[in-house]
Amino acid sequence: MAEIGHGGKEIKERILEPAEAKKRIQGLKQYPIRSQLANEVIDIAYGFFSPLEGFMGKADVESVCKKMRLKDGKTVWSIPIVFDMSKEEIAEYGVKPGASLLLTYTGNPMAIFEIEEVYEYDKKSLAKDVYGTDEAKHPGCARTYAYKDKFVGGKITLVNRPKINEPFTPYFLPPLELRRIFKEKGWKRIVAHQTRNVPHTGHEWLMKGAWFQTYGELPMDKPYVGVLVNAIIGEKRKGDYIDEAIILTQDELRKSGYFGDHNHLTSLTFWDMRYAGPREAVFHAALRTNLGLTHHMFGRDHAGVGTYYGAYDAHRLLESLKGEINIVPVYSENWLYCPHCGEITSESLCNHKKEWQKFSGTLIRSIVQDGVKPPRLIFRPEVFDLVLECAEKYGFGSPFVEEEYLKKRTPVFVMPPLA
Amino acid sequence: MSEKYPINLWVNEERYEKLQKAGLAAMCQEMLAGLKCIQVYCNDAQKDKILKVFPTAKFDSATTKSIELLPRQVKDKIFDLVVQKQSIDIMDDFLKNY
C-alpha cells in the first residue's frame, strides 16, 4: 500500500541500487558539499522532505517566501530548501540546466544532482519573509547571508547510503522504516516531540501530557498511542549538549522505565535548525507528517530564538493552516515544579502561582555545569549519570560542545566508498 | 523600581562546606525539590555587562528570568566573594575587575 506523505503525495525514496549508481555516475564532475547540504540531500532522498524531489527552483522559493506554499499553490511549505554555489564554481563545474553533478561528502560519492535551473534570489527579502526580520544576528538570517551568490535547483538521487556511526545507528529511521515500525507496534496515533535537548522532567511531562491529549477517546485495551522523540541533529554551537548525550538520554527515559517500548520511540532527523519560530513549526509539521505521525506537540515559542517571536505565534499560524496540514497540533504550556503540590505540574493545572518554581533546559545545564546533581523530581538520575558518561566517552570530558569536540568528534554519518 | 536578575549559585558539597565553615549555611535557600542555592542579584546595567564580558552566559528571558551558563570558574569567584563579604550584594565588587 502506498505511504502518503505531506501534500498528499506518495513517499518514494530516491535511492539507486549500487550497480545502477555506478553506471549513472560515470563521467560526472564531482562537487564536494558541506554538512548542511549533505543533511538535506539525505532528507530529500529518504522522503523526510516529501513531496520535494530536489533543491528548490526560483518559483518554489518565491512561492514559499511569499505564500508559504510550493509553486503548485496548494502544498504548504514554509522554509526554502536551497543549494547555493558561487559564480566561480558554476563556471568551473559547468553548472547549467540539463547538466548533472555528482555530489560528494566526506570524500565519497553521495548523490546525483540533475540541474534544472540556476538563479539568484534576494537574500534580504528571503530572510524577511521567512524569519520576519532581516537582522544579521538572527541565526537563520545569518545562515541565509552566508549563502553563496547563486542558487541551483534540481532533482537529487542518492547513489550511496550513508554510514551512520555509533551511537546514532539505531536512531536513523527514515519515513518508510518508521511507518513500518509504527504498524508493527499497532499504534494508531503517534505524537511527535521535537527536541535538541537532554530531557529534564519538564520535557518528560510535556511528552506525557501530549500522550494523554493524543490518546483521547481511544480504548485502553492495547497501547494505541506512542510518543516519537524526533531529535534534530545538525550544526552544533558551543555550549549545546553534545549530540550523543541528547539522543542517548532521550532513549534512556524509555530504557529506565519512565516510558516503555509500548509507548515511546526515539529517532533523529538531520537538519540545521533555522530558528524560524512559527515557520519552523509549520516545517516540523510537514516533516513529521512524512514520518507517519498523526499529532505534533508545540510548546511555547516553538523553535524560536531570543525575543523574535511571541510565545503563541506558532500556535496561531498552525491554526490558520487547519485543513491544509495533515497532522493534529497538540499545544502545551510549560511544566514546572510546585513545592506546594510536591510535584511537576502544568501552568494550566496548578493554581499555587506564587509558589511555582519554573525551570528550563538552560537552568538545568547551569546546575550540571556547577557540578550539582539535580533531584530526581527535576532530572532523572539515570539521565544525569548518562550525561556524565557521554561527557567522558564522546565529549572529551564535557557534556557540552567545546572546541575540541567540534574538531575531533566522530561525525554522525559519513559516505562510505561506493560498493 | 528597577528589575533585579538573579544568578543562581548552585551549592554543591564543596561550596556547602565553605559556607558551613564561614557560618553562612543559612544563606542557602532550597529550590526545585531540594537543591541548595544562593541567589545574587544584578541590576540592568550589571546584567548587560555580565552578558558582554562572558559570552557563554545567557539570560533566560522565557522561563526563569535568571542569568545562566556562566563558566564554573566565574561562578566560583562570585561564590568566594559572597563568602568573603558575607553578603549577596557583591556584584559591583565582582564586576570592578572586568
Side-chain angles (χ1 to χ4, degrees):
Chain A
M1 207 174 79
E3 292 291 347
I4 305 301
H6 177 64
K9 301 269 168 54
E10 183 181 353
I11 296 175
K12 289 182 182 164
E13 292 187 342
R14 300 181 58 80
I15 306 171
L16 293 178
E17 290 305 318
E20 172 76 3
K22 273 191 175 164
K23 272 192 248 162
R24 292 271 305 274
I25 66 170
Q26 295 287 329
L28 295 183
K29 278 198 178 166
Q30 299 193 9
Y31 179 74
I33 57 174
R34 64 182 187 277
S35 65
Q36 177 195 324
L37 295 174
N39 287 343
E40 289 163 17
V41 163
I42 285 181
D43 293 330
I44 292 165
Y46 280 93
F48 289 85
F49 286 180
S50 183
L52 300 191
E53 296 179 324
F55 288 95
M56 290 179 177
K58 189 170 188 175
D60 267 331
V61 172
E62 191 150 37
S63 184
V64 165
C65 287
K66 303 295 178 195
K67 300 178 196 159
M68 224 193 303
R69 309 278 185 292
L70 295 178
K71 67 180 178 192
D72 65 8
K74 292 184 293 189
T75 310
V76 170
W77 199 277
S78 54
I79 295 182
I81 304 298
V82 293
F83 191 103
D84 62 313
M85 290 181 92
S86 69
K87 275 183 273 190
E88 294 73 25
E89 286 171 328
I90 295 222
E92 185 187 340
Y93 288 90
V95 174
K96 57 183 181 196
S100 291
L101 284 178
L102 174 61
L103 305 181
T104 64
Y105 185 62
T106 59
N108 286 312
M110 182 171 201
I112 296 172
F113 188 18
E114 296 168 272
I115 292 140
E116 292 166 1
E117 190 182 352
V118 179
Y119 60 98
E120 290 178 14
Y121 199 93
D122 182 65
K123 292 181 197 172
K124 208 164 182 173
S125 152
L126 185 153
K128 189 93 186 153
D129 287 332
V130 174
Y131 303 109
T133 176
D134 54 15
E135 287 182 8
K137 66 177 185 185
H138 184 295
C141 295
R143 184 178 292 277
T144 303
Y145 298 151
Y147 286 151
K148 296 167 191 170
D149 39 17
K150 299 265 188 189
F151 295 112
V152 184
K155 289 193 173 62
I156 284 293
T157 309
L158 212 62
V159 294
N160 196 7
R161 290 178 191 261
K163 178 186 180 293
I164 312 293
N165 286 319
E166 292 299 337
F168 301 97
T169 320
Y171 304 106
F172 179 65
L173 301 168
L176 295 181
E177 172 71 359
L178 259 183
R179 286 165 177 244
R180 189 190 60 70
I181 294 171
F182 295 153
K183 280 190 193 119
E184 265 177 25
K185 286 181 175 287
W187 292 348
K188 291 181 189 299
R189 293 179 189 165
I190 307 106
V191 58
H193 175 57
Q194 144 77 28
T195 192
R196 290 173 297 119
N197 223 323
V198 164
H200 54 63
T201 51
H203 297 124
E204 184 185 316
W205 274 99
L206 272 173
M207 288 186 258
K208 287 177 171 170
W211 181 87
F212 281 116
Q213 284 170 274
T214 303
Y215 217 105
E217 81 296 352
L218 290 175
M220 302 296 281
D221 58 333
K222 279 191 268 178
Y224 288 120
V225 173
V227 175
L228 179 80
V229 179
N230 190 230
I232 292 294
I233 301 290
E235 189 181 59
K236 302 302 290 181
R237 295 190 296 190
K238 276 193 204 165
D240 290 346
Y241 276 112
I242 59 174
D243 285 330
E244 294 83 352
I246 294 169
I247 200 85
L248 292 174
T249 55
Q250 289 291 347
D251 198 21
E252 189 63 31
L253 289 181
R254 175 187 63 84
K255 289 182 180 168
S256 295
Y258 299 101
F259 294 92
D261 283 331
H262 61 294
N263 61 13
H264 188 274
L265 182 69
T266 301
S267 79
L268 61 81
T269 293
F270 296 124
W271 171 247
D272 292 336
M273 284 283 293
R274 308 299 205 261
Y275 303 93
R279 278 204 180 224
E280 190 120 0
V282 173
F283 171 77
H284 288 161
L287 167 68
R288 272 68 190 237
T289 302
N290 287 328
L291 298 186
L293 309 188
T294 57
H295 292 64
H296 197 306
M297 292 164 55
F298 294 100
R300 288 163 58 97
D301 195 21
H302 185 95
V305 60
T307 52
Y308 285 101
Y309 311 107
Y312 302 106
D313 286 358
H315 298 192
R316 280 190 281 273
L317 183 60
L318 288 158
E319 281 306 293
S320 76
L321 296 169
K322 234 176 187 169
E324 292 189 86
I325 48 176
N326 202 21
I327 199 162
V328 180
V330 174
Y331 302 124
S332 51
E333 276 284 4
N334 286 337
W335 292 71
L336 45 80
Y337 176 68
C338 172
H340 196 110
C341 300
E343 64 191 18
I344 304 300
T345 184
S346 161
E347 287 179 4
S348 314
L349 290 170
C350 174
N351 207 31
H352 303 121
K353 289 184 185 171
K354 287 188 180 157
E355 297 173 63
W356 284 357
Q357 293 180 3
K358 296 185 180 185
F359 58 104
S360 62
T362 306
L363 186 89
I364 301 292
R365 263 158 56 193
S366 216
I367 297 171
V368 173
Q369 224 167 265
D370 276 19
V372 176
K373 185 170 185 170
R376 64 165 53 235
L377 259 181
I378 304 298
F379 202 62
R380 300 306 188 185
E382 298 88 344
V383 171
F384 181 81
D385 291 346
L386 188 52
V387 164
L388 298 190
E389 194 184 315
C390 285
E392 288 312 311
K393 203 166 171 187
Y394 305 107
F396 306 93
S398 170
F400 306 109
V401 173
E402 290 178 4
E403 198 65 43
E404 194 173 7
Y405 177 81
L406 290 173
K407 280 187 190 151
K408 297 184 184 167
R409 69 172 296 191
T410 303
V412 182
F413 72 88
V414 293
M415 298 309 298
L418 206 52
Chain B
M1 210 176 77
S2 65
E3 288 279 335
K4 283 173 26 172
Y5 309 99
I7 295 173
N8 294 311
L9 302 170
W10 303 103
V11 178
N12 55 20
E13 281 173 22
E14 185 190 337
R15 285 178 181 168
Y16 195 64
E17 204 173 301
K18 282 186 183 175
L19 286 172
Q20 277 182 318
K21 274 186 190 160
L24 298 172
M27 256 188 174
C28 293
Q29 48 179 307
E30 204 162 276
M31 290 172 66
L32 298 173
L35 271 181
K36 289 186 178 60
C37 180
I38 291 176
Q39 290 190 312
V40 296
Y41 288 92
C42 296
N43 59 29
D44 274 299
Q46 290 166 336
K47 178 189 80 154
D48 292 346
K49 188 164 180 186
I50 286 270
L51 295 178
K52 195 173 167 193
V53 174
F54 304 106
T56 60
K58 187 178 163 189
F59 177 57
D60 187 347
S61 58
T63 312
T64 59
K65 317 284 181 212
S66 56
I67 300 164
E68 301 296 343
L69 301 180
L70 276 166
R72 168 97 173 256
Q73 310 87 292
V74 174
K75 285 175 90 169
D76 281 341
K77 278 185 191 165
I78 297 174
F79 177 82
D80 289 344
L81 208 53
V82 168
V83 174
Q84 186 195 327
K85 301 271 179 189
Q86 307 208 348
S87 166
I88 54 169
D89 187 17
I90 47 86
M91 284 316 286
D92 269 339
D93 275 353
F94 173 74
L95 285 170
K96 261 186 218 158
N97 301 320
Y98 296 95

